Amino acid sequence: MKKLKQRSILTFFSTTTILLFIVVFIFNSLVIQHLVFSYHDVNTSQTTFSTIQKLFHIIRSNGYERGRVNVVMNYQGQLDEMKKFRTFVTKHRQLGNKEIQGVFSELSNSQLKYDQNTLIQLKDKFLITQKLQTEYLKQFKLPFTERDLTHDDKWFNHMSVQIGTLSTLTYSIIEKNPIVIELKPYAKMIYLLTMLRNHAGPVVSYMKATTFNRSSLSLTRMEELKYRKIMVKNLIERLKIVSEDVLHSSTLNNINNFGIFYQNQVLIDADYIAENDIAQFIAPVDFRSYLKKGVNSLEQLNAITNEIFSQTVSIIEEKKREALLKLVVSIALSLLVFIILLINILRIYKLVYRRIIIAGQLMHELSANNTNIDIPDPLFNDEVGILEAGLIKFKGNILKLNNLNTKFEALSHQDSLTHLLNHESILGQLEKVHAESVRYDYSYCAIMVDIDWFKNVNDTYGHQIGDEVLQGFAQVLNRHIRNTDLLGRYGGEEFLIIFSHMTQKMASEITEKIKYDIANTHFSSEQINITASFGIAESRKNCEYKGIIRLADKALYQAKDSGRNCIVCHQN
């Protein structure tokens, strides 16, 4: 018989497994690397949109400051009559300067790519802006006849260039940084909105300034009005095209409404100015509401921009979760593959090792309180078999312990006397109701109930009778509670009712029935008659659930101060 060369099966399996490990590792590394880059792109998109949102806020503040300075410079009345306008200028000057300095700092410390020359130009222009701001503040203190109106054109033209530079910087950030494909239309919309804000504002301020000083509407400005009017119309049309099939229908309607409002309330008057001589211009009194309408149109534009930014935030968050989930799943799958390969090489060992591994895994699951696992019967009556039998007993003990824990958990949420929800539980449930009401936009009401003069019951009849009264009182309240409502003992003789999907008026009607029922019920073995006071508060969007409780509590104290045995609704 030919002598065979000795070979090791262990070596063969080990070599094969190691090679397979390497192949799988390289493949998974490439996949994970791609997913990491995708997640990085989403984060970069988030940073990009955060930065361009700040740039838009600067453009908004600069635009308001640019226009309102134009209006104040041409006002010929008393200085104190323009106090409101000067306050408006101060607000947006401070806000714009603070925001632009913040962006300078942020860009210098961030990893975002942008056009360096544009940023340098913007910094140079901002230095000039600060000088011009000092100059117009001096002009504001002078009567109209002493003002240097050349500063009006100098200021307005400079700020228009600065706003244009901000738009260019916005464009360079959008173009130079990776943005996930779903967000590219939104980025283009934001850029169009920065341009639209730049061109829509001057039409408003020029018009209002003309009502104060007709000579301010020079031929140059009239030509500028024509150009900006054309740009506004074109930008609105481009915005509609880009946003179609992308934005929510409500936002699309807002864009369309803005276009109609701006055309009918702003551009028609601007056309009148451009087409008539100054001598034929209608009296300023006819334009008292023009600035208000113009500012209203600009605020509509700001609201549209905020809606778009809000939608981008939702998309980015969704993309981050999706990218992170893919990354986690990919890593998890990679680990799973390696585990399977590792088990394959371990299978060549003796059966005892495999059984020990399984026993160890079962022990891990049981230690994590996972009882949804099947533990096989021992294969052999050996040391490992004793361990396997012990695991079966261990699982049984855990199931018994879990049943006891479930009972204790239920008891921990109940008030031991009334068997209603206790203080912590009712507040925990209220927090969930509040979150759902905000998410699905419905109302709920919180009713604080306090037994009137309950201390007298305890002092007269003793605490045992007082406990019977509390139990009977809880039963009366419970008769009026739906399955969707909540009832709990808030503390002492105070109870809290939560009526879900209910307005304050509806809650008040039900509370009247409860109040009547209480007044006509004899409580405890002593057949005691009692009354109660009620405070009702309806939920509101900008108030947390604890605030609703405070409002209901406040209403309850008003009920007590009003003589008790009554219902007080907190007025929104």
Side-chain angles (χ1 to χ4, degrees), residues 269-430:
D269 291 337
D271 286 341
Y272 188 92
I273 296 175
E275 295 170 5
N276 291 272
D277 294 336
I278 294 177
Q280 298 172 326
F281 193 74
I282 58 181
V285 70
D286 295 328
F287 284 86
R288 287 176 180 175
S289 63
Y290 183 79
L291 183 60
K292 183 178 180 180
K293 293 188 295 184
V295 172
N296 186 14
S297 68
L298 297 179
E299 285 304 311
Q300 288 181 33
L301 191 62
N302 295 333
I304 291 169
T305 307
N306 290 335
E307 288 179 24
I308 293 174
F309 275 119
S310 177
Q311 293 179 35
T312 60
V313 169
S314 299
I315 294 173
I316 288 172
E317 290 301 322
E318 181 181 350
K319 287 295 177 183
K320 284 185 71 174
R321 288 193 297 269
E322 181 180 321
L324 185 59
L325 179 61
K326 288 181 179 178
L327 184 59
V328 171
V329 169
S330 178
I331 294 173
L333 289 176
S334 299
L335 292 174
L336 181 61
V337 170
F338 285 119
I339 291 172
I340 292 173
L341 292 174
L342 183 60
I343 292 175
N344 182 60
I345 195 172
L346 291 176
R347 285 175 63 88
I348 65 174
Y349 287 97
K350 295 180 181 180
L351 185 59
V352 63
Y353 289 97
R354 180 177 181 275
R355 292 168 64 198
I356 289 176
I357 289 173
I358 293 175
Q361 291 172 341
L362 293 173
M363 179 65 75
H364 175 74
E365 293 294 330
L366 290 174
S367 64
N369 202 26
N370 180 13
T371 57
N372 297 321
I373 55 174
D374 294 325
I375 301 179
D377 294 331
L379 296 176
F380 304 100
N381 187 19
D382 55 11
E383 290 82 359
V384 181
I386 295 173
L387 176 61
E388 292 169 339
L391 288 174
I392 295 175
K393 293 180 181 179
F394 184 38
K395 177 182 176 182
N397 291 335
I398 290 177
L399 289 172
K400 292 178 182 178
L401 183 60
N402 286 344
N403 290 334
L404 291 174
N405 287 337
T406 301
K407 293 179 181 179
F408 290 143
E409 179 72 15
L411 291 175
S412 69
H413 292 299
Q414 286 185 355
D415 175 61
S416 59
L417 179 63
T418 62
H419 301 297
L420 302 179
L421 293 175
N422 59 25
H423 181 88
E424 291 77 12
S425 297
I426 188 69
L427 289 183
Q429 294 297 320
L430 173 57

Side-chain angles (χ1 to χ4, degrees), residues 357-532:
I357 289 173
I358 293 175
Q361 291 172 341
L362 293 173
M363 179 65 75
H364 175 74
E365 293 294 330
L366 290 174
S367 64
N369 202 26
N370 180 13
T371 57
N372 297 321
I373 55 174
D374 294 325
I375 301 179
D377 294 331
L379 296 176
F380 304 100
N381 187 19
D382 55 11
E383 290 82 359
V384 181
I386 295 173
L387 176 61
E388 292 169 339
L391 288 174
I392 295 175
K393 293 180 181 179
F394 184 38
K395 177 182 176 182
N397 291 335
I398 290 177
L399 289 172
K400 292 178 182 178
L401 183 60
N402 286 344
N403 290 334
L404 291 174
N405 287 337
T406 301
K407 293 179 181 179
F408 290 143
E409 179 72 15
L411 291 175
S412 69
H413 292 299
Q414 286 185 355
D415 175 61
S416 59
L417 179 63
T418 62
H419 301 297
L420 302 179
L421 293 175
N422 59 25
H423 181 88
E424 291 77 12
S425 297
I426 188 69
L427 289 183
Q429 294 297 320
L430 173 57
E431 184 176 8
K432 295 178 182 178
V433 170
H434 182 80
E436 289 184 1
S437 72
V438 173
R439 180 178 180 184
Y440 298 108
D441 194 19
Y442 67 79
S443 298
Y444 68 87
C445 286
I447 298 91
M448 292 293 293
V449 187
D450 185 82
I451 301 175
D452 296 332
W453 309 114
F454 182 73
K455 184 177 182 300
N456 293 342
V457 174
N458 282 332
D459 293 343
T460 304
Y461 299 98
H463 287 84
Q464 184 175 353
I465 298 300
D467 289 346
E468 292 180 10
V469 171
L470 288 173
Q471 290 171 336
F473 190 81
Q475 292 172 2
V476 173
L477 294 180
N478 213 18
R479 288 202 295 264
H480 298 270
I481 301 301
R482 305 169 299 175
N483 292 335
T484 56
D485 301 328
L486 298 172
L487 172 61
R489 186 181 179 190
Y490 196 72
E493 65 272 22
E494 284 190 342
F495 295 80
L496 175 60
I497 304 173
I498 306 299
F499 285 132
S500 180
H501 295 276
M502 190 173 290
T503 63
Q504 188 168 271
K505 181 179 178 183
M506 298 164 62
S508 179
E509 293 173 355
I510 297 177
T511 306
E512 285 287 354
K513 296 178 182 179
I514 297 175
K515 175 175 165 289
Y516 178 83
D517 198 359
I518 293 170
N520 290 276
T521 300
H522 298 290
F523 293 89
S524 81
S525 57
E526 296 290 338
Q527 298 295 297
I528 301 172
N529 290 323
I530 62 173
T531 60

Side-chain angles (χ1 to χ4, degrees), residues 1 85 106 140 147 192 194 212 215 260 292 358 360 418 460 462 496 508 536 540 549:
M1 183 177 178
F85 283 178
E106 181 176 318
F140 281 3
R147 291 178 200 152
L192 291 175
T194 62
F212 293 146
S215 63
I260 295 172
K292 183 178 180 180
I358 293 175
T418 62
T460 304
L496 175 60
S508 179
I536 303 177
R540 52 183 67 182
I549 292 294

Side-chain angles (χ1 to χ4, degrees), residues 118-337:
T118 302
L119 183 62
I120 293 172
Q121 292 174 17
L122 182 59
K123 289 181 177 179
D124 293 338
K125 287 175 173 55
F126 180 62
L127 293 176
I128 298 173
T129 298
Q130 292 175 304
K131 294 179 182 178
L132 293 175
Q133 286 171 338
T134 303
E135 180 60 28
Y136 78 60
L137 289 174
K138 293 179 181 178
Q139 296 293 322
F140 281 3
K141 298 177 182 178
L142 301 175
F144 177 77
T145 55
E146 297 179 16
R147 291 178 200 152
D148 181 6
L149 294 183
T150 59
H151 185 75
D152 181 20
D153 280 331
K154 185 188 300 182
W155 162 260
F156 202 100
N157 294 337
H158 169 76
M159 288 304 292
S160 295
V161 173
Q162 176 168 302
I163 293 172
T165 306
L166 284 164
S167 296
T168 303
L169 181 61
T170 301
Y171 181 81
S172 73
I173 291 174
I174 292 171
E175 287 297 308
K176 291 180 177 294
N177 291 279
I179 298 177
V180 294
I181 189 169
E182 292 86 350
L183 292 172
K184 287 186 180 294
Y186 290 89
K188 189 171 184 180
M189 282 184 272
I190 299 301
Y191 174 68
L192 291 175
L193 286 165
T194 62
M195 298 286 289
L196 189 55
R197 181 60 182 81
N198 182 26
H199 290 290
V203 180
V204 177
S205 58
Y206 278 175
M207 183 70 164
K208 185 61 181 180
T210 302
T211 66
F212 293 146
N213 177 21
R214 297 179 185 179
S215 63
S216 68
L217 189 62
S218 62
L219 292 176
T220 301
R221 285 190 172 180
M222 290 177 68
E223 290 301 317
E224 182 183 345
L225 279 175
K226 292 180 181 180
Y227 167 73
R228 291 190 183 276
K229 178 187 68 174
I230 294 171
M231 286 298 299
V232 168
K233 290 180 178 179
N234 290 340
L235 288 168
I236 290 175
E237 291 304 315
R238 289 172 61 186
L239 184 60
K240 288 180 180 179
I241 293 172
V242 175
S243 61
E244 189 176 4
D245 299 327
V246 176
L247 296 179
H248 297 162
S249 59
S250 58
T251 309
L252 292 173
N253 289 334
N254 290 340
I255 293 174
N256 188 57
N257 292 337
F258 166 77
I260 295 172
F261 183 90
Y262 197 85
Q263 174 65 36
N264 295 338
Q265 301 294 331
V266 179
L267 291 184
I268 288 178
D269 291 337
D271 286 341
Y272 188 92
I273 296 175
E275 295 170 5
N276 291 272
D277 294 336
I278 294 177
Q280 298 172 326
F281 193 74
I282 58 181
V285 70
D286 295 328
F287 284 86
R288 287 176 180 175
S289 63
Y290 183 79
L291 183 60
K292 183 178 180 180
K293 293 188 295 184
V295 172
N296 186 14
S297 68
L298 297 179
E299 285 304 311
Q300 288 181 33
L301 191 62
N302 295 333
I304 291 169
T305 307
N306 290 335
E307 288 179 24
I308 293 174
F309 275 119
S310 177
Q311 293 179 35
T312 60
V313 169
S314 299
I315 294 173
I316 288 172
E317 290 301 322
E318 181 181 350
K319 287 295 177 183
K320 284 185 71 174
R321 288 193 297 269
E322 181 180 321
L324 185 59
L325 179 61
K326 288 181 179 178
L327 184 59
V328 171
V329 169
S330 178
I331 294 173
L333 289 176
S334 299
L335 292 174
L336 181 61
V337 170

